[in-house]
Amino acid sequence: FNETVNLDGATFEQDFRLADCSFEKLTTRGTIFRQDPQISDPIINESWDIRLSGSSAEKLTITRGIIGKIRIFDVSCPLSFDACTVKSIDIQEQGTINSIEVKRGTIGSINVGRHGTINLINAKYHGTINSINAGRLGTINSINAERLGTVGSIEVDSGFIESINAGRYGTIGSIGVRLGAIESIDIQELGAIDSIKIQEHGYVPLIETCGGIGSLMIYGGVDELEMTGGVIYAFYPSANNGIKKLDLRGGRVALLIKPQDFEPGVQN
């Protein structure tokens, strides 16, 4: 197709299959899929607009796609990308989506706009997400990197993330909290995060690890840091940091950069 494929307002009662197609834009605003749609080998040069709030499909699967930009307004079913290359996924203002799953492919960036919400982002089986950004008043309930999944960077800028999980053989490059909060960070055995930086106005109540952390820089508030195994290779606590409980019984800190007036209390 030379230009836009417009499926706005269409209802598909039976199976929907779209294969080996290329077009400039795809728009599915208000489209209803009664059964699970499958899109394979599409090439979408510019953008794909998605609003599927009325669909009863359990999952929308895209296989081996090459897509420029995806703009999500409201999607009740999960999106599954298998061996796809997507430049960016943008959750529009007040937009919502159940989950985004990435396997054996790459998504350049996932950005959550003002009052936007994603329940789950999952990278696994050689799936890669280069960057995730929870912007102003944006919410992500859970981010998982597991089973050879990779997330390059996660940035919280006035947004909120409930949990980040680096599971077995999952890798996260960096986590930065400038403004806003991450409720918990959990690094499981054989999971790894290269760096975590919590700035002065950031807040992470709980960090749990039995995996590896390259560098941990805490200038904001952390209620509890608990190690049940693994290694923190470089730990930078600020002089006025808000760490209330420091439990390192099961792990090891290879290098501690201690400010002059940093003195752990008796409970630590």
Side-chain angles (χ1 to χ4, degrees):
F1 302 95
N2 291 327
E3 297 183 1
T4 298
V5 172
N6 186 332
L7 303 179
D8 291 354
T11 298
F12 296 90
E13 298 288 350
Q14 303 299 325
D15 290 348
F16 176 87
R17 302 287 183 266
L18 184 63
D20 299 308
C21 293
S22 65
F23 27 79
E24 291 303 304
K25 296 181 180 180
L26 175 63
T27 174
T28 54
R29 296 194 188 191
T31 308
I32 296 175
F33 297 106
R34 300 297 188 195
Q35 299 189 30
D36 295 354
Q38 294 188 10
I39 299 175
S40 59
D41 300 282
I43 298 175
I44 304 174
N45 293 317
E46 293 188 16
S47 64
W48 178 10
D49 290 356
I50 307 177
R51 177 179 282 124
L52 302 177
S53 55
S55 291
S56 55
E58 294 184 1
K59 181 184 290 188
L60 171 56
T61 303
I62 304 97
T63 307
R64 297 179 303 275
I66 300 174
I67 303 171
K69 177 186 291 187
I70 295 177
R71 295 184 294 197
I72 293 175
F73 296 86
D74 189 11
V75 181
S76 57
C77 63
L79 293 184
S80 178
F81 297 91
D82 189 350
C84 293
T85 300
V86 181
K87 184 176 180 181
S88 67
I89 297 177
D90 295 335
I91 312 302
Q92 302 299 296
E93 184 172 345
Q94 298 184 337
T96 63
I97 182 170
N98 187 305
S99 69
I100 297 172
E101 180 181 82
V102 184
K103 298 184 293 184
R104 294 174 300 199
T106 301
I107 293 178
S109 65
I110 297 177
N111 306 298
V112 185
R114 185 179 178 88
H115 295 291
T117 301
I118 301 177
N119 289 332
L120 171 64
I121 299 173
N122 194 13
K124 61 182 182 180
Y125 299 130
H126 299 285
T128 299
I129 302 170
N130 291 335
S131 68
I132 299 172
N133 181 32
R136 184 171 178 81
L137 301 177
T139 299
I140 302 173
N141 290 334
S142 180
I143 299 173
N144 296 334
E146 58 181 350
R147 289 176 284 184
L148 302 175
T150 301
V151 176
S153 67
I154 299 171
E155 296 292 331
V156 181
D157 188 3
S158 302
F160 174 76
I161 297 175
E162 185 169 326
S163 68
I164 296 174
N165 179 20
R168 191 173 181 85
Y169 297 111
T171 302
I172 296 175
S174 65
I175 298 174
V177 187
R178 191 174 73 86
L179 288 170
I182 298 173
E183 191 70 21
S184 68
I185 299 173
D186 185 6
I187 308 164
Q188 300 177 19
E189 185 179 5
L190 301 179
I193 296 178
D194 292 342
S195 70
I196 300 173
K197 185 176 183 179
I198 304 164
Q199 299 193 37
E200 184 177 358
H201 299 289
Y203 179 53
V204 180
L206 175 63
I207 300 175
E208 292 182 284
T209 180
C210 64
I213 299 176
S215 64
L216 175 59
M217 292 166 278
I218 299 176
Y219 307 107
V222 173
D223 291 346
E224 183 175 356
L225 170 62
E226 179 179 352
M227 293 189 72
T228 56
V231 182
I232 298 175
Y233 291 94
F235 181 25
Y236 305 78
S238 70
N240 60 345
N241 76 83
I243 300 178
K244 296 179 181 179
K245 183 178 180 181
L246 200 60
D247 185 352
L248 309 179
R249 290 172 297 175
R252 180 168 65 91
V253 176
L255 176 65
L256 173 65
I257 310 298
K258 187 177 90 65
Q260 184 175 0
D261 53 352
F262 176 79
E263 294 295 340
V266 175
Q267 75 273 19
N268 297 327

